[in-house]
């Protein structure tokens, strides 16, 4: 059995999106800046996709700027807004959280080197933050608040509407990275007081290498890439017409189907959580998915002590299951995930984490297979683990981990 359970890393391009994508490469291949028919057709394709993206999030068409990725949109929003507000208002403060994607965290670190001051608000032990925490952190020096909509590793969904209201009240620019949230939760940038928002195509069945930045009219958005006049002079470079067309179609399908997909995916997620929680000395990372602890419908993130995340992934791969430990961008590194450390977990627990991210293409049979295989693989790895032996034989050191994990036996 081959099971893809890493949809938070990326998703396959689906046949209906491919139908939109291919003709842009083979027939409608003109340069959108050319004035002849082929070029004008490509331009029309881009403008149709822009309208689709705007509609999906309640924005105006001229508030959408296509980019080469979610990462680029994050960099653009935060760097150019911070730099502009320092130039025009002398503000040098940035507020974010300590569990953002590296596209934001490393951008903030780069801005610190330029002299900006960044407050990294801590999330609580389940991966949430309150709008009041943001309110209390804002001061006269704050240029921009950037807080992710939903976390890519543990799937927690943050109170973006409340944070947006706080930022609006305080007159501070609010950016959110909605790369994981789009298509999973309804987003209305006007109602939620979102000034800027980043989206990526490849998490919602468009190809890799396309995304967009929403920037509210009235905010000055400075040029990010210098060159030609594309994207109203703000982001130079010949447009990725095919990717953009695919993104327009993908976001339309994703946002129209939110309720239906939620109803299909959530029971599979909850079964995974219920069954994998039966593994001794395990824990669910992030909230349970209740109304006050919202969680992405397809996200499961568990830790099992006495297991190395990497060996868990390799064993699952042999069994035909593609999953992740931490985020894809940090896999290959032996550092434990910064998101799990932000929850206050010790390294021993953070190291043994598994993220399964499912979607509407997964089936009940696949879920049954995963809940059969994961406990077997965990038992096999633990049988070779010195830490597990130490904890189980005489239970030495177990007291340290007991409050964070289910019983060891
Ligand atoms: N932000 C979040 C929350 C993500 O999960 C990702 C990708 O994993 C990104 C940003 C980066 O998006 P992209 O891969 O399009 O650069």
């Amino acid at each position: 059995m081959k099971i893809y359970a890493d949809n938070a890393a990326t998703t396959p391009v689906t046949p209906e999106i491919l139908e939109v994508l291919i003709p842009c490469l083979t027939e409608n291949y003109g340069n959108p800046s050319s004035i002849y028919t082929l070029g004008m057709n490509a331009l029309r394709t881009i403008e149709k996709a822009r309208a689709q993206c705007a509609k999906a999030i309640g924005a105006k068409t001229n508030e959408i700027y296509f980019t080469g990725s979610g990462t680029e949109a994050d960099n653009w929003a935060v760097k150019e807004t911070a730099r502009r507000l320092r130039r025009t208002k002398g503000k040098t403060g940035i507020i974010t959280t300590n569990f953002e994607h590296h596209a934001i965290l490393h951008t903030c670190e780069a801005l610190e080197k330029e002299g900006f001051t960044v407050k990294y608000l801590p999330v609580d032990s389940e991966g949430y933050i309150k709008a009041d925490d943001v309110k209390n952190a804002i001061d006269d020096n704050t240029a921009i608040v950037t807080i992710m909509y939903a976390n890519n590793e543990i799937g927690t969904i943050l109170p973006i509407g409340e944070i947006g209201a706080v930022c609006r009240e305080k007159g501070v620019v609010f950016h959110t990275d909605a790369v994981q949230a789009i298509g999973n939760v309804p987003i209305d940038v006007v109602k939620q007081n979102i000034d800027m928002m980043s989206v990526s195509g490849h998490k919602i069945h468009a190809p890799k290498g396309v995304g967009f930045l929403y920037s509210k009219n009235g905010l000055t958005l400075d040029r990010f890439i210098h060159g030609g006049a594309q994207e109203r002079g703000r982001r130079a470079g010949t447009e990725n017409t095919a990717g953009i067309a695919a993104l327009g179609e993908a976001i339309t399908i994703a946002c129209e189907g939110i309720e239906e997909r939620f109803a299909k995916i959530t029971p599979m997620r909850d079964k995974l959580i219920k069954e994998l929680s039966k593994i001794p000395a395990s824990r669910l990372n992030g909230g349970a998915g209740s109304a006050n602890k919202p969680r992405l419908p397809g996200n499961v993130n568990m830790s099992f002590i006495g297991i190395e995340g990497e060996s868990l992934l390799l064993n699952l791969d042999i069994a035909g299951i593609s999953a992740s430990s931490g985020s894809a961008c940090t896999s290959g590194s032996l550092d434990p995930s910064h998101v799990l450390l932000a929850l206050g977990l010790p390294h021993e627990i953070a190291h043994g984490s598994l993220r399964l991210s499912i979607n509407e293409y997964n089936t009940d049979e696949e879920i049954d297979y995963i809940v059969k295989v994961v406990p077997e693989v965990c038992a096999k790895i633990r049988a070779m683990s010195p830490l597990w032996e130490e904890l189980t034989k005489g239970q030495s050191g177990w007291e340290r981990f007991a409050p964070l994990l289910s019983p060891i036996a």
Side-chain angles (χ1 to χ4, degrees):
M1 209 174 209
K2 287 271 174 250
I3 299 174
Y4 186 67
D6 202 16
N7 290 282
T10 195
T11 56
V13 176
T14 49
E16 62 267 43
I17 311 257
L18 212 52
E19 255 177 54
V20 173
L21 194 145
I22 300 272
C24 295
L25 300 170
T26 53
E27 296 157 32
N28 184 17
Y29 53 80
N31 187 321
S33 299
S34 302
I35 56 162
Y36 46 79
T37 309
L38 208 55
M40 296 300 284
N41 287 346
L43 187 63
R44 261 194 290 277
T45 301
I46 290 173
E47 293 317 311
K48 178 183 169 198
R50 200 185 305 281
Q52 288 173 309
C53 293
K55 184 163 180 243
I57 61 166
K60 298 192 186 71
T61 302
N62 63 358
E63 294 174 321
I64 304 294
Y65 298 86
F66 290 112
T67 63
S69 61
T71 301
E72 184 189 323
D74 283 343
N75 271 262
W76 190 359
V78 179
K79 283 184 181 156
E80 294 312 323
T81 305
R83 288 170 181 159
R84 176 175 60 82
L85 290 173
R86 173 161 67 181
R87 211 172 50 240
T88 56
K89 302 208 166 140
K91 295 187 178 192
T92 56
I94 299 169
I95 295 173
T96 188
T97 72
N98 60 351
F99 84 154
E100 299 291 312
H101 189 274
H102 285 136
I104 290 292
L105 286 182
H106 291 169
T107 295
C108 288
E109 285 162 18
L111 287 169
E112 282 178 299
K113 294 203 180 97
E114 291 182 21
F116 289 91
T117 312
V118 183
K119 289 185 196 166
Y120 298 91
L121 302 181
V123 293
D124 68 20
S125 61
E126 287 182 296
Y128 296 95
I129 193 159
K130 293 193 179 63
D132 270 351
D133 301 333
V134 180
K135 191 173 185 170
N136 296 335
I138 294 175
D139 59 28
D140 292 343
N141 190 38
T142 308
I144 181 168
V145 169
T146 174
I147 293 185
M148 68 196 323
Y149 206 127
N151 185 272
N152 46 302
E153 293 191 36
I154 57 171
T156 51
I157 300 171
L158 302 191
I160 289 305
E162 291 171 33
I163 296 171
V166 161
C167 292
R168 185 59 50 90
E169 182 196 319
K170 297 269 187 179
V172 169
V173 175
F174 176 45
H175 166 260
T176 186
D177 172 339
V179 168
Q180 294 291 337
I182 195 78
N184 282 313
V185 286
I187 298 179
D188 185 316
V189 290
V190 175
K191 286 197 190 128
Q192 294 174 291
N193 290 307
I194 298 169
D195 296 318
M196 306 180 99
M197 187 169 87
S198 305
V199 168
S200 175
H202 71 102
K203 314 285 184 182
I204 52 171
H205 304 292
K208 290 147 194 72
V210 65
F212 71 78
L213 173 63
Y214 151 77
S215 178
K216 187 172 125 69
N217 282 344
L219 269 188
T220 308
L221 179 65
D222 283 347
R223 175 184 286 259
F224 190 50
I225 296 185
H226 294 78
Q230 291 90 353
E231 296 304 291
R232 279 154 287 148
R234 297 204 172 65
R235 197 264 184 188
T238 304
E239 299 89 336
N240 171 7
T241 312
I244 289 171
L247 174 56
E249 190 67 15
I251 200 169
T252 304
I253 296 172
C255 291
E256 281 174 356
I258 289 179
E259 269 181 42
E260 202 183 316
R261 280 202 319 281
F262 188 89
K264 170 148 196 248
I265 304 166
T266 315
M268 294 196 283
R269 173 199 72 186
D270 291 343
K271 181 166 186 185
L272 283 171
I273 293 176
K274 183 167 165 245
E275 294 302 320
L276 299 183
S277 296
K278 291 179 185 164
I279 296 176
S282 64
R283 61 173 273 127
L284 172 69
N285 298 312
S290 53
N292 61 345
K293 302 281 177 193
R295 177 176 200 115
L296 289 174
N299 175 285
V300 176
N301 189 309
M302 308 272 314
S303 291
F304 314 103
I305 201 165
I307 306 255
E308 278 301 324
E310 278 74 9
S311 59
L312 180 57
L313 294 193
L314 292 176
N315 277 277
L316 291 179
D317 189 29
I318 291 165
I321 302 169
S322 303
S324 149
S325 158
S327 69
C329 311
T330 49
S331 65
S333 124
L334 285 176
D335 290 339
S337 135
H338 70 282
V339 173
L340 298 179
L341 296 182
L343 304 183
L345 294 181
H347 282 221
E348 293 89 337
I349 296 180
H351 262 302
S353 80
L354 172 68
R355 179 188 72 181
L356 298 161
S357 45
I358 55 168
N359 71 10
E360 69 274 28
Y361 295 97
N362 291 107
T363 63
D364 290 331
E365 291 70 40
E366 291 180 347
I367 302 303
D368 289 342
Y369 181 72
I370 295 173
V371 301
K372 180 179 151 302
V373 168
V374 174
E376 290 169 3
V377 169
C378 284
K380 183 176 139 193
I381 298 172
R382 279 174 167 174
M384 297 178 290
S385 155
L387 174 62
W388 185 247
E389 188 175 343
E390 207 179 293
L391 293 175
T392 45
K393 296 222 173 94
Q395 308 222 334
S396 120
W398 172 245
E399 336 63 72
R400 188 153 80 87
F401 305 118
L404 297 166
L405 298 169
S406 61
I408 197 161

